[in-house]
Amino acid sequence: MLDWSQSELAAAAGVSRATVVDFERGARIPHRHNLAAIRCALEAAGVEFIPENGGGPGVRLARRSDSK
């Protein structure tokens, strides 16, 4: 969706790359503050988290308005 590497996500979120790698592998669940930092980094890049509304939760990339 964003075409970020694990290192780019880790840098944007201010967490270690190992945290991102372990989370993606399912090896561990990040601490609450690391998970919040990852979410904030993704949201700052335009990812919208969609709440469950009968179809299940999801994500989408926000539409960017053309400001000319």
Side-chain angles (χ1 to χ4, degrees), residues 7-62:
S7 296
E8 289 170 318
L9 174 57
V15 301
S16 73
R17 182 176 168 275
T19 296
V20 174
V21 170
D22 287 349
F23 181 41
E24 287 185 352
R25 286 188 313 134
R28 66 182 168 121
I29 297 172
H31 296 285
R32 186 175 60 236
H33 62 278
N34 287 348
L35 196 54
I38 291 169
R39 181 177 178 141
C40 285
L42 293 172
E43 288 175 337
V47 174
E48 292 182 358
F49 288 81
I50 304 165
E52 184 170 347
N53 61 359
V59 294
R60 68 176 167 216
L61 194 56

